[in-house]
Amino acid sequence: MTEGSLSRLPRENIELPGGAAVLRRRSLVSDDAFIDAVAADVEHLGEWLRWAQHPPTREETEGFRAEQDADWDAGRSFVYVLTPADRFDKVLGGGAMFPNGEDGVLEIGYWVCSPATGRGLATRAAAALTEEGLGLPGVEAMEIHCDRANVRSAEIPPRIGYRLLRVEPDEPQTAAEAGQSMVWRHDGAGPRPLLQAP
């Protein structure tokens, strides 16, 4: 996981429990839909996401998508956007799986636009990514790293079977961050994450 790539790729579309939303490979959703969603919600998203500090330009978006596509095809990292099940043109949020520098471990991240908060989408997306990641060859554990000040995000890992490993200093990436990263891990033991997600 630290070098090289996975021998098998994750699914490009992951339906969340309940069937109302789908995590889709980033390249399957238009740049316009992505730009519109992030630009309309910069104040909310930029509080915790360093890449959402300003409305994305088309050039930035196209460049990031091309890099993410190349990384996916090479089995290095996997970026998704969350959409309604019946639409590709509305972005509700997103998530990703990527190496964190430790063999056999993938880290996940997740985000939800403010109009879609309070519906359990972030929890279900994190559970779905965890389940998908643990099913990949060579992956022994999943991690979530979350700034201690991000209380809503920090409520998600224990709900889906993660345990807190440690809290460590981490350089703040946004104005809201406290600089203390909570490191959560799921090693696949116990109930499967999707069964615990509301």
Side-chain angles (χ1 to χ4, degrees):
M1 232 43 35
T2 53
E3 310 284 338
S5 60
L6 295 175
S7 61
R8 181 167 64 81
L9 302 180
R11 290 176 292 165
E12 294 190 354
N13 293 284
I14 304 172
E15 186 175 314
L16 300 194
V22 176
L23 284 163
R24 304 186 193 276
R25 179 175 171 166
R26 168 64 187 90
S27 60
L28 299 179
V29 177
S30 75
D31 289 344
D32 286 339
F34 182 85
I35 291 169
D36 289 349
V38 176
D41 210 24
V42 163
E43 186 174 347
H44 167 74
L45 297 175
E47 192 172 10
W48 304 111
L49 302 173
R50 63 181 173 209
W51 54 264
Q53 299 299 300
H54 60 82
T57 67
R58 181 160 299 282
E59 183 179 16
E60 288 171 334
T61 303
E62 290 174 352
F64 286 141
R65 177 182 35 76
E67 290 173 15
Q68 292 160 357
D69 232 16
D71 284 340
W72 186 298
D73 290 339
R76 289 188 292 264
S77 62
F78 313 97
V79 176
Y80 292 87
V81 291
L82 183 65
T83 73
D86 59 349
R87 296 179 63 178
F88 282 75
D89 63 341
K90 181 176 178 60
V91 172
L92 303 173
M97 298 187 289
F98 47 92
N100 75 344
E102 185 176 344
D103 284 333
V105 179
L106 282 180
E107 184 177 335
I108 66 169
Y110 44 85
W111 55 278
V112 175
C113 294
S114 57
T117 58
R119 293 159 43 188
L121 288 173
T123 300
R124 290 198 293 276
L129 290 171
T130 301
E131 185 82 0
E132 190 73 15
L134 288 171
L136 295 172
V139 177
E140 299 169 2
M142 304 294 289
E143 284 190 357
I144 294 172
H145 294 206
C146 171
D147 190 86
R148 184 171 232 155
N150 193 347
V151 176
R152 290 190 73 180
S153 185
E155 291 173 345
I156 292 173
R159 275 189 209 144
I160 59 173
Y162 281 74
R163 62 187 171 83
L164 183 63
L165 279 185
R166 62 187 180 275
V167 179
E168 60 190 15
D170 190 25
E171 187 69 28
Q173 301 293 324
T174 71
E177 290 186 342
Q180 291 286 318
S181 182
M182 304 174 78
V183 178
W184 301 84
R185 179 170 288 196
H186 196 307
D187 61 7
R192 301 306 285 178
L194 284 177
L195 299 178
Q196 295 187 18

